[in-house]
Amino acid sequence: KNEVEQSPQNLTAQEGEFITINCSYSVGISALHWLQQHPGGGIVSLFMLSSGKKKHGRLIATINIQEKHSSLHITASHPRDSAVYICAVGGGSEKLVFGKGMKLTVNP
Amino acid sequence: EAGVAQSPRYKIIEKRQSVAFWCNPISGHATLYWYQQILGQGPKLLIQFQNNGVVDDSQLPKDRFSAERLKGVDSTLKIQPAKLEDSAVYLCASSRQVFGGYTFGSGTRLTVV
């Protein structure tokens, strides 16, 4: 069993839909990261969470430490949101443990 | 602040050839990571440096891969000789020593033919 599990693995949505991506982990963590990877390889860090909730633009990330679960929500989705979204745990001088990622396609 | 710089952006080589990747982390970030990401999979840690010392290289195929971080700043990752299965994106990331976020480079896409 992977230490970091993401669901769903793939998601296709229509523009404007509200999207939720889930991440569950089985190890103790100092922080959880949500990363975005577009075709071509580069990774952008969206959020780093250790508790509660963070919001940036149309993106909201939440974490429940007791349940070892995090969600990334995208409101009013847009085709430019199409990417792979990766959940990873760890932080600072700790190596990151990555989920396999979720491929999101938002159709116009 | 400037991001993590990586070069080259793309590289195509034949099997058994050698290749080197370069990474310049964010100034002041003591921890530097090299990750290998095979298509369809999450990144896998190859090596972690703390300043110029190796913290974790347990998943680095040492018979063909080597990495160094001279003076605790820039780092190079070398593959010699390359195999077809080394085709992947090689990502460099850096972070502050104390709890902090990661910054990733744009990656180097390697194709071995």
Side-chain angles (χ1 to χ4, degrees):
Chain A
K1 188 182 188 309
N2 293 328
E3 292 175 309
V4 181
E5 296 277 359
Q6 290 188 239
S7 63
Q9 291 187 331
N10 293 281
L11 180 64
T12 299
Q14 288 301 121
E15 183 172 358
E17 287 186 3
F18 180 84
I19 293 165
T20 295
I21 306 167
N22 295 301
C23 175
S24 296
Y25 54 93
S26 58
V27 295
I29 66 168
S30 56
L32 182 142
H33 303 254
W34 280 104
L35 309 168
Q36 181 191 56
Q37 186 172 33
H38 282 282
I43 289 180
V44 174
S45 178
L46 299 175
F47 295 103
M48 183 177 71
L49 294 163
S50 55
S51 64
K53 175 180 174 180
K54 286 190 176 180
K55 183 177 189 296
H56 185 263
R58 295 181 294 107
L59 302 179
I60 303 167
T62 63
I63 188 168
N64 184 317
I65 299 294
Q66 287 71 33
E67 295 186 3
K68 295 187 175 179
H69 181 270
S70 175
S71 294
L72 175 68
H73 306 285
I74 305 174
T75 61
S77 59
H78 190 275
R80 64 175 174 267
D81 297 327
S82 298
V84 174
Y85 291 84
I86 302 172
C87 171
V89 299
S93 57
E94 302 170 357
K95 68 179 182 182
L96 287 180
V97 178
F98 292 84
K100 292 185 177 180
M102 190 221 74
K103 184 177 181 181
L104 173 66
T105 304
V106 181
N107 294 318
Chain B
E1 59 183 2
V4 175
Q6 284 190 250
S7 66
R9 190 76 176 89
Y10 303 94
K11 189 74 176 179
I12 300 174
I13 62 172
E14 295 182 349
K15 59 183 179 182
R16 292 187 289 273
Q17 285 187 324
S18 302
V19 64
F21 312 128
W22 174 82
C23 173
N24 181 248
I26 289 179
S27 177
H29 279 197
T31 309
L32 185 146
Y33 307 81
W34 283 102
Y35 290 91
Q36 179 194 57
Q37 186 177 22
I38 293 172
L39 185 65
Q41 300 181 16
K44 180 185 84 171
L45 178 69
L46 292 176
I47 190 166
Q48 175 186 348
F49 291 96
Q50 189 74 11
N51 297 306
N52 62 347
V54 175
V55 174
D56 184 349
D57 63 356
S58 57
Q59 297 195 84
L60 186 73
K62 298 181 185 64
D63 57 334
R64 298 183 301 105
F65 285 64
S66 65
E68 60 182 7
R69 190 183 184 196
L70 298 176
K71 301 181 181 178
V73 183
D74 293 8
S75 177
T76 55
L77 175 69
K78 297 179 182 178
I79 308 175
Q80 180 180 10
K83 293 184 176 181
L84 295 176
E85 58 262 36
D86 298 332
S87 295
V89 174
Y90 291 85
L91 293 159
C92 179
S94 69
S95 68
R96 295 185 190 281
Q97 182 172 357
V98 183
F99 180 79
Y102 280 69
T103 302
F104 285 86
S106 55
T108 296
R109 181 175 293 278
L110 173 68
T111 303
V112 182
V113 297

